[in-house]
Each structure stands twice: as structure tokens, then as C-alpha cells.
Amino acid sequence: MKALVAVKRVVDANVKVRVKPDNSGVDLTNVKMSINPFCEIAVEEAVRLKEKGTVSEIIVVSVGPKEAQEQIRSSMALGADRGILVETADDIGALEVAKILKGVVEQEQPQLILLGKQAIDDDSNQVGQMLAALLGSGQATFASEVKVDGDKVQVTREIDGGLQTVELALPAVITTDLRLNEPRYAALPNIMKARKKPLDSKTPADYGVTASTKLKTLKVESPAERQAGVQVKSVDELVEKLKNEAKVI
Amino acid sequence: MSILVIAEHDNKTLNAATLHVVAAAQKIGGDITVLVAGSGAQAVADAAAKVAGVGKVLLADNAVYANQLAENVAALVADLGKGYKHILAAATTNGKNILPRAAALLDVSMISDIISVESANTFKRPIYAGNAIATVQSEEAVILATVRGTAFDAVAAEGGSAAVETVGEAKDAGVSKFVSEEIVKSERPELAAARIVVSGGRGVGSGENYHKILDPLADKLGAALGASRAAVDAGFVPNDMQVGQTGKIVAPELYIAVGISGAIQHLAGMKDSKVIVAINKDEEAPINAVADYWLVGDLNTVVPELVAKI
């Protein structure tokens, strides 16, 4: 079966971002960009399923700027077979991304659709659920284990109280949690090979989607700074401060 | 103006998270209706009817809603939601699972994890792991949002007297099935709602040491236990104890971080705590920058000493 994996180009997880002085957004000039960590886990899971013989072809798709090609190539270096880049402006909403992905799914007819549970830039945690709704298929969010069995898939999900296992009919949408797997590193020969793998370029219009959103970001600010704390020298001093100064115990 | 609040529950009791969502709904202003979708959930509906500020409770009681499968609950929410101006749910795993699906069914954008209500269509929410706060305005006819519980004070669980109405026929979407659940049992207060949280990181060394060191402190303080992602990934404790961008968001009165370095992803989950204490052997640990009090020392000796002295 075919697997489709959606990946997003985001600021690298280790970068401490700065808000622009005019409060229009976060400053992304000369900042290291990477594949969203949750998306990387989705790619890894698809590759593992291919290694097991469950999946025959992995298509990786990214909706974003031209530079997102890099993230598609990195996914190919990890084992994806081909890529699709749907080029859009930066400010596209989750619903519009889901609509574009729906168009891709209808064209490619994958049985498994894998996404990260959230992108670490907008922290929305919406696209997978929206895509599943638009397709009318089942969804398993926050997956920590995926087992494909014939035309069904059993997914263990991380929920607030612990774990929940659900069974979905294929095709299904799965969004990955951090504990699903440990992504591999791309070996140099695979990076070289990835350069030769096919990468299609599309636009939202190819899928009949107008890339805009009815959510307007009016302002982006830095969060309130915490007052600098004090170093205490002993447990006695700590207990004294907590009791008399902070009055929390 | 009318607001639909999706109740968070386990078919027996109403989860406190719902009280925080009702508080956010009151800030928006308007008639508040709570939807209880479950199976054998009459007690939950009765509890919701008593919540201060709630005007009406809708009870959808059917086996297809028993396990909160998103496919079935979202269809119900989208169906009922057409008559409302706002639809709110808690930013729990359950709310995050259901609400975006309902939004797409209604063909509207949604706003995740709001931390403040600026006006009926303008909200603040954290982005980039809490390193920036965005003010977002929605031009949608129906505004869907999940609410970060720790950002709104809970309304009183008693004092209301709403009518309970039973709604509609239930439909099974037929694409998903509940298989099993593994809920971690704990005597301690719930992490997201606790007044004091004691959290351990990679520095505690092992699962055995985590409990040996931190259990007595949590017991003494009546605190909930939490952990950093490093401690969860190392297998010290189960994942539902994780505090951070990808785990739970907490804002207790006192947060004690033991053996936690303070990665951005962890800070996103706890830096709104009132008082933060860091106990770490590393003088340069980033956690010290957000801590009100920090003590450099070996947690294996410092924590037992702390237990003895409080």
C-alpha cells in the first residue's frame, strides 16, 4: 500500500526565537530551519512500515515555501520515494493546508496518511484531524504505536490519563507523538541518492484551494519576563524563603 | 450570542478542566450551553447543570459516544454547533482530538490553546513553545477554540441550576473502534490541577531513584508528580506525567524542578507557575533563569534534607 507523509519546514527546535521589534511576527532571517520533529517521526514510521513490507511506496508532501524542498529531500534521504511540494505563502491556515492535502490524497490514493501531531512553530495541533474530517476517514492522533493488519490499523494513542488503543478502517489518518519511534540519521550515500528522486511542484490552485485564512494575526509579542530569581545556599535558606517570602508551603 | 462548551468527562464525573472552559466562555459573554456526549453519563450532565454560569446542558447519551471517539463526537458537535457563535473545548488530548475535526466539518478555521479573551473574536495564544504570544482575530461565522485551563480560573462547580435536555439520534461513523485503554491509577492530585508539582528530570538517574527521592517530597507537600521529557523517554516514569510543550501544561503555585536542565520544550509547560524552585547540580542550567529560588547541589542529599525540614 501507499503511504503519504506530510512534512513541514519550521525553525529548528533548538533555536530560541525572537519576536520582531514591530510585533509583526517572529524573526526568521538567518535562523536555522529544519523538518518539524513530529514530521520526522512520521517519515521514520512510514520507512519502518516499508522495511516490514507493509508499505510499498512513500510519498512525502510539504505545503510551504520553495525552500521546503530541502525538508522533502531530507525525508527522501531517510527513505521516502518521491516528493510533492505545494508552494504557498508563509501565512497559510491549518484548514487550507488540510484542504490541499485532501487534494493530494485524492490524487495519490494512499491507504496510510501520516502527519506529526503538531508543528513546533504555530503549535496548533489541527491539520491531521481536519484532513481526516475532510476525507471522512478515521483518525488516530498522538500515536505511540502503529500496527497495520490487513485493511485495518491498530493505533495506541497517548491520552491524558494514560494510553488508549483504537482500530481504524483504512484509509486512515495518523498523527505521531514523540514516543512512536526514534528517527534515524540520513547516511551520505542516501543523501546523494535523494537528489535524484522525483519531486513534483504544485500550487494550491492545482487542488482548487485558495490559500488564505480567516484567522488574522494582529500582533506577536514576547511573553512576560519572569523576575530574576535568587540562588539559595542551603536547604535551610530555601525552606525559610518558601515559608516566609513566597509563602507557598 | 451563544456559546457551546464541550464537557470533558469519563462518563462518571465531570472533569475540572470544563470549569476553566466555562470561565473562558464567561469572558466572551453570552448564554452558555454545555454538551455532554457520553454513555451512561446522566451523572455528568447533572454535575454540569450545577456549574455556576451554565444556562443549559445538552446530554447526548449513546454507546457510540462512550469512548469519546473523535469521528462520532465531532460529527455531533458540528451538527449541534451550527446554532452557536462559539464552540469551546478544553485543550486536553480529548479536546485537541475532537475540536479540529468538528471545525473542518463546519468548514471553519479554529484557534488552539487560547490563554486570554481580548474580545468575542480576538484571543491570545502562545506559539513557538510559549516563546511568543500571538493575538489572533477570527472572521469565521462560528468561532471554535480550545482553552488552556491554567490560564483561566475555574468557575464554581456548585451554584447553577441549568435544565438538562436530551439531544438527537446518534450515528456511528463506522470508521473507528475503541479497543482498549490503560489508565494510570494515582492517589496524588491530578497534575494539571495540582497546587504544588514536584517534577524530576534526567538528573534523578533512574525510575527507582525517581520514586525514592521524589515520592517522599510529594507526599509531604501533597503535591502531584511530574517529569521532563528526558525522564519519560528514559523510561523513569509513564508519559502522562510529562510536563512541557508536548506533554501537560501546568501553572501551580509552587513548581519544584529536580534534576531538570530546563530545555525550551519543558519551560513551555511550566513557566507560568507562580513560584519555581530548581534543584540542580549544574550552576549553568537554563532552568535557573526562570527559577525564583535555585539551589545548586546533589539532589540525592538535598531533597531528603528538604523533606526532613519542611
Side-chain angles (χ1 to χ4, degrees):
Chain A
M1 68 178 71
K2 273 196 208 176
L4 182 85
V5 186
V7 301
K8 186 176 184 186
R9 173 184 170 90
V10 297
V11 168
D12 189 85
N14 298 312
V15 171
K16 182 146 174 44
V17 296
R18 305 226 176 273
V19 170
K20 286 186 196 164
D22 66 355
N23 293 110
S24 63
V26 162
D27 195 354
L28 297 181
T29 43
N30 299 322
V31 167
K32 186 182 176 209
M33 303 295 280
S34 298
I35 178 168
N36 180 44
F38 292 100
C39 302
E40 202 173 9
I41 290 167
V43 173
E44 174 68 28
E45 194 64 18
V47 173
R48 289 186 190 192
L49 288 168
K50 192 177 174 191
E51 286 166 347
K52 271 194 224 159
T54 314
V55 163
S56 52
E57 187 186 26
I58 302 167
I59 305 147
V60 51
V61 52
S62 189
V63 179
K66 198 178 185 65
E67 295 78 17
Q69 281 189 9
E70 293 164 25
Q71 279 63 45
I72 296 178
R73 292 283 174 209
S74 335
S75 307
M76 289 172 171
L78 295 175
D81 297 292
R82 59 190 172 91
I84 301 170
L85 171 66
V86 186
E87 215 178 307
T88 65
D90 282 346
D91 231 9
I92 178 170
L95 182 64
E96 289 70 29
V97 172
K99 285 180 178 174
I100 291 169
L101 292 177
K102 178 188 180 231
V104 178
V105 168
E106 281 169 350
Q107 219 161 57
E108 299 289 346
Q109 298 289 321
Q111 291 295 98
L112 272 176
I113 303 140
L114 294 157
L115 300 91
K117 77 164 178 182
Q118 76 188 54
I120 60 163
D121 51 1
D122 62 33
D123 285 331
S124 284
N125 195 329
Q126 297 179 1
V127 175
Q129 295 88 313
M130 288 181 159
L131 175 60
L134 298 175
L135 295 169
S137 60
Q139 70 184 50
T141 49
F142 324 133
S144 61
E145 200 183 349
V146 174
K147 277 190 274 188
V148 180
D149 180 17
D151 58 350
K152 291 194 164 56
V153 58
Q154 276 212 355
V155 183
T156 302
R157 308 177 49 229
E158 299 197 359
I159 59 170
D160 283 335
L163 299 170
Q164 181 194 61
T165 304
V166 293
E167 187 178 274
L168 308 176
L170 296 177
V173 175
I174 298 168
T175 75
T176 62
D177 217 318
L178 283 170
R179 267 164 294 277
L180 181 59
N181 61 47
E182 184 110 10
R184 68 194 65 190
Y185 289 100
L188 188 60
N190 293 342
I191 296 173
M192 302 305 283
K193 267 189 247 165
R195 288 192 192 164
K196 297 205 179 71
K197 290 184 180 176
L199 200 169
D200 279 350
S201 209
K202 301 273 190 185
T203 66
D206 293 336
Y207 303 100
V209 179
T210 320
S212 66
T213 171
K214 286 189 173 172
L215 295 182
K216 264 204 304 211
T217 301
L218 302 181
K219 190 166 62 174
V220 175
E221 303 157 285
S222 294
E225 291 276 335
R226 285 189 77 94
Q227 296 286 327
V230 292
Q231 182 176 5
V232 292
K233 298 287 177 215
S234 67
V235 171
D236 288 313
E237 191 187 344
L238 177 62
V239 173
E240 192 272 323
K241 296 259 193 210
L242 288 178
K243 280 192 171 146
N244 303 322
E245 196 174 276
K247 297 191 172 60
V248 282
I249 57 170
Chain B
M1 295 276 275
S2 52
I3 304 168
L4 184 66
V5 169
I6 318 298
E8 177 88 16
H9 67 90
D10 60 358
N11 292 316
K12 293 183 202 77
T13 49
L14 182 70
N15 189 303
T18 309
L19 304 177
H20 297 272
V21 183
V22 172
Q26 283 183 331
K27 290 243 161 78
I28 294 170
D31 299 330
I32 300 170
T33 301
V34 174
L35 169 66
V36 177
S39 174
Q42 183 68 45
V44 179
D46 292 342
K50 289 198 195 100
V51 172
V54 173
K56 190 161 79 176
V57 174
L58 301 177
L59 173 61
D61 207 322
N62 192 293
V64 305
Y65 304 130
N67 299 294
Q68 301 288 318
L69 290 176
E71 295 79 2
N72 298 339
V73 180
L76 174 74
V77 171
D79 198 26
L80 293 171
K82 290 189 181 89
Y84 294 85
K85 187 85 183 71
H86 294 84
I87 307 174
L88 304 179
T92 54
T93 51
N94 200 36
K96 289 174 185 172
N97 190 34
I98 290 168
L99 213 64
R101 188 172 178 110
L105 294 176
L106 288 165
D107 195 24
V108 297
S109 307
M110 74 160 271
I111 306 176
S112 295
D113 228 3
I114 59 166
I115 55 168
S116 91
V117 175
E118 303 295 297
S119 76
N121 70 352
T122 309
F123 307 88
K124 285 192 176 180
R125 62 176 301 264
I127 54 175
Y128 290 90
N131 285 305
I133 307 294
T135 306
V136 183
Q137 189 174 64
S138 174
E139 290 162 2
E140 299 284 7
V142 190
I143 295 175
L144 280 80
T146 51
V147 175
R148 179 176 288 194
T150 57
F152 297 88
D153 290 331
V155 297
E158 300 285 335
S161 56
V164 178
E165 235 174 70
T166 308
V167 289
E169 292 156 51
K171 246 197 343 245
D172 188 348
V175 288
S176 61
K177 207 168 75 184
F178 171 82
V179 177
S180 63
E181 207 162 65
E182 234 178 281
I183 299 295
V184 181
K185 295 226 164 35
S186 170
E187 305 281 300
R188 299 183 193 283
E190 202 194 340
L191 183 54
R195 199 180 72 80
I196 302 178
V197 173
V198 173
S199 226
R202 206 198 317 256
V204 299
S206 67
E208 200 186 329
N209 210 38
Y210 176 99
H211 287 292
K212 194 179 105 199
I213 299 286
L214 299 188
D215 280 2
L217 181 59
D219 286 339
K220 193 112 183 208
L221 294 167
L225 280 172
S228 70
R229 188 187 150 203
V232 172
D233 283 351
F236 299 173
V237 292
N239 64 280
D240 62 307
M241 287 168 69
Q242 184 187 322
V243 172
Q245 183 189 19
T246 56
K248 290 207 173 79
I249 313 286
V250 302
E253 280 180 39
L254 175 59
Y255 187 90
I256 305 182
V258 180
I260 292 178
S261 66
I264 294 175
Q265 105 88 27
H266 184 73
L267 300 182
M270 46 63 80
K271 69 179 175 190
D272 290 327
S273 305
K274 197 169 144 229
V275 176
I276 298 172
V277 172
I279 298 171
N280 207 303
K281 66 175 189 312
D282 179 8
E283 197 144 344
E284 303 294 320
I287 189 94
N288 298 342
V290 299
D292 296 280
Y293 307 109
W294 43 288
L295 178 59
V296 176
D298 180 357
L299 60 94
N300 293 297
T301 53
V302 167
V303 178
E305 192 187 338
L306 181 62
V307 175
K309 285 179 175 163
I310 49 178

